[in-house]
Amino acid sequence: MIQTVRGTRDILPSDMPLWHRVEAVAREAFRRYGFREIRTPIFEKTELFARGVGEATDIVHKEMYTFTDRARQGSEGESLTLRPENTASVVRAYIQHKMFADKSPGELTKLYYIGPMFRRERPQAGRYRQFYQIGVEVMGSSDDAAIEAEVMEMLDWFLKELKITNTTLLINSVGEPASRAVYLETLREAIRPNLDKLCGDCHHRFETNALRVFDCKVESCQTVVATLPTITDSLDEASRQHFEQFKAHLDARGIAYTVNPRMVRGLDYYTRTAFEIVGHDGLGAQNTLVGGGRYDGLSETIGGPPTKGFGFAFGLDRMVMALSEAEAESLRAADAPSIFIVFLGEAARAHSFVVAQQLRAAGVAVAMEFEDRKMKKAMAAADKSRATYALIVGDNEVATGKYGLKNLKTGEQESLTLDEIILRLN
Ligand code: HAM
């Protein structure tokens, strides 16, 4: 029997109402805050991620699904990659379609996306090799910290609407590229005497981008990381001020946060503000729900004009896991037909097809099975369908045009015409 590939999974119908709910609340948040949807390809040129996300990141270095496309006549097959994230793709689309053209100063492009991403990580609960993200990107010429705070406000609304309240917002500033270069030297000096205590991956990180040692999950490395100077200590003045403004905007909106100077995020494109939202219920070790930040240099890195950007993505898989049991239960319960048609006899069966067609045309969700069964068996099927009502059609009902509508929760039964039933259900 052929099964799913390690780290991938089927999302089964019983879980779909939870996914739909998270997606619907996200789309509602995006509507309220003026974001429009974009869909970019699932695979892109490898170079986009190598340059955009950064060669030294775990994502590019170890986790990408990269393959060589078939050669075309006269040219070699190019290297393609299943997208490990979508910020680089959205910024590419922004540049490719010249979305910056005809913009007044301060005008923003606000985009959102929903879709699968691929990373070859070690699978565990809440961590998959194909997972889903919902994210937003705000691009334009302004780097006002109010833009960031408004996005945080939207996330705050979104989480409250889903009743996911037990979360912590962690914020940090990773500064400008120039101050980061100075900091990286300080960092390398501090790491050098401890190199023998670090894992092989951290040796590689030390050589390529020392900031990435903060991403290491190995416990012995964490002990060293805890002693290292943080980027926040060597922030440039402009970034420091920007961070102060960001915090003031959060305060003004009543959004609580914790500053974590060691949170540097696992992607290279961040400048200044970086943040994560960590959940505490039902998530286990993979408890980072949302990650995001500012990326003012990304456009130029991939060949575009100077552009400021800020955005986030959350893991849809994890957001679904963070829903409370009670919420999940009621979403599943609501995912059932309104009516299950129970018919008795051949004539009633033929008549039921017409009744079902009319009810469906009127917008009612109707379930029906086609086998002629005894009343008891048919009612058991109706119960199993979790429908709100059973509609009973027998010879008598066919003759009178009045049907038995039985409430399957209370057991109450009434005799009603089709029009009355439609009125009742709408
Ligand atoms: P990220 O932190 O790499 O950021 O991913 C964002 C979120 O995606 C994570 O917080 C987590 O919820 C989810 N996620 C990541 N990897 C997995 C996985 N293997 N399995 C399940 N869920 C996962 C980004 O991707 C940036 N593009 C976010 C961003 C947008 N920054 C600015 N704009």
Side-chain angles (χ1 to χ4, degrees):
M1 156 61 194
I2 301 170
Q3 303 219 336
T4 45
V5 174
R6 186 167 142 81
T8 71
R9 62 191 183 136
D10 302 310
I11 312 298
L12 297 174
S14 58
D15 276 336
M16 280 326 290
L18 283 57
W19 287 64
H20 286 162
R21 171 72 181 153
V22 175
E23 289 170 19
V25 175
R27 285 187 201 273
E28 176 57 17
F30 301 150
R31 186 189 70 78
R32 292 188 187 194
Y33 284 81
F35 286 82
R36 298 165 74 205
E37 185 169 0
I38 184 166
R39 294 189 190 187
T40 61
I42 302 280
F43 55 90
E44 300 260 4
K45 294 187 177 160
T46 302
E47 197 188 350
L48 174 68
F49 303 113
R51 269 157 66 182
V53 177
E55 296 274 9
T57 59
D58 277 5
I59 294 177
V60 173
H61 182 58
K62 302 196 293 195
E63 297 169 0
M64 294 208 302
Y65 283 97
T66 297
F67 58 97
T68 307
D69 199 5
R70 286 193 195 191
R72 271 179 305 166
Q73 243 179 357
S75 67
E76 279 178 34
E78 58 186 342
S79 178
L80 304 178
T81 292
L82 299 186
R83 62 182 186 192
E85 63 105 52
N86 212 27
T87 307
S89 307
V90 170
V91 173
R92 179 206 41 72
Y94 177 81
I95 300 165
Q96 187 172 334
H97 302 286
K98 297 198 172 50
M99 294 186 205
F100 45 81
D102 307 324
K103 287 265 152 79
S104 55
E107 197 178 334
L108 300 169
T109 302
K110 299 166 85 172
L111 303 173
Y112 80 86
Y113 50 86
I114 300 184
M117 310 291 157
F118 306 84
R119 295 183 194 175
R120 202 176 184 292
E121 296 191 80
R122 196 169 53 76
Q124 63 182 85
R127 196 206 270 152
Y128 308 98
R129 290 180 170 178
Q130 171 171 338
F131 60 99
Y132 294 79
Q133 277 188 349
I134 296 186
V136 311
E137 312 296 347
V138 185
M139 287 158 292
S141 53
S142 168
D143 63 356
D144 195 327
I147 296 170
E148 297 159 26
E150 191 182 73
V151 170
M152 305 315 294
E153 178 192 299
M154 176 171 76
L155 268 172
D156 193 56
W157 179 85
F158 166 80
L159 290 170
K160 282 194 181 120
E161 192 69 10
L162 288 177
K163 304 190 189 78
I164 300 174
T165 48
N166 195 5
T167 58
T168 307
L169 166 61
L170 304 172
I171 62 169
N172 193 21
S173 176
V174 295
E176 294 275 347
S179 65
R180 191 165 336 151
V182 177
Y183 165 69
L184 281 177
E185 271 320 300
T186 319
L187 187 62
R188 284 168 64 87
E189 286 318 307
I191 295 173
R192 203 182 303 278
N194 295 298
L195 258 182
D196 57 331
K197 301 192 194 91
L198 296 180
C199 71
D201 276 344
C202 278
H203 279 246
H204 175 79
R205 292 172 175 128
F206 175 76
E207 296 300 336
T208 51
N209 180 355
L211 192 63
R212 302 271 65 98
V213 301
F214 285 95
D215 304 335
C216 190
K217 309 279 181 320
V218 177
E219 217 167 285
S220 50
C221 295
Q222 279 299 320
T223 320
V224 176
V225 165
T227 67
L228 297 174
T230 66
I231 196 157
T232 326
D233 299 330
S234 43
L235 225 48
D236 54 283
E237 184 51 27
S239 295
R240 203 191 53 73
Q241 275 183 21
H242 184 91
F243 196 45
E244 289 310 312
Q245 284 162 6
F246 175 54
K247 288 189 285 185
H249 280 299
L250 291 180
D251 292 337
R253 285 168 168 78
I255 298 171
Y257 54 83
T258 305
V259 178
N260 180 353
R262 289 197 162 71
M263 197 263 300
V264 295
R265 309 267 305 123
L267 305 97
D268 275 351
Y269 49 62
Y270 292 113
T271 54
R272 296 189 173 172
T273 312
F275 78 92
E276 286 183 354
I277 297 179
V278 176
H280 304 288
D281 299 324
L283 288 164
Q286 300 305 314
N287 66 347
T288 309
L289 287 170
V290 193
R294 174 164 288 288
Y295 47 86
D296 292 343
L298 177 55
S299 168
E300 286 154 281
T301 310
I302 59 176
T307 305
K308 314 282 186 193
F310 180 79
F312 71 77
F314 67 78
L316 192 42
D317 309 70
R318 291 185 195 173
M319 205 55 85
V320 165
M321 284 169 74
L323 293 174
S324 72
E325 271 305 316
E327 186 73 3
E329 188 106 340
S330 81
L331 288 166
R332 285 195 180 99
D335 182 50
S338 301
I339 285 186
F340 186 99
I341 299 184
V342 168
F343 58 83
L344 303 159
E346 252 327 293
R349 175 178 133 110
H351 187 79
S352 293
F353 297 151
V354 180
V355 169
Q357 187 181 28
Q358 286 176 345
L359 284 170
R360 285 170 172 153
V364 181
V366 180
M368 130 168 228
E369 285 170 12
F370 300 109
E371 206 175 328
D372 192 5
R373 289 185 276 215
K374 294 264 175 321
M375 185 68 164
K376 204 170 159 202
K377 280 248 166 84
M379 287 309 287
D383 276 327
K384 198 172 168 215
S385 79
R386 300 178 302 128
T388 316
Y389 297 99
L391 183 87
I392 299 155
V393 185
D395 291 340
N396 210 14
E397 283 78 4
V398 176
T400 61
K402 281 196 152 196
Y403 307 92
L405 186 72
K406 180 172 184 178
N407 184 321
L408 292 171
K409 309 259 146 46
T410 63
E412 220 174 294
Q413 187 167 330
E414 288 173 276
S415 185
L416 302 170
T417 65
L418 212 51
D419 285 344
E420 287 167 337
I421 291 169
I422 290 167
L423 267 181
R424 171 74 52 90
L425 291 173
N426 281 332

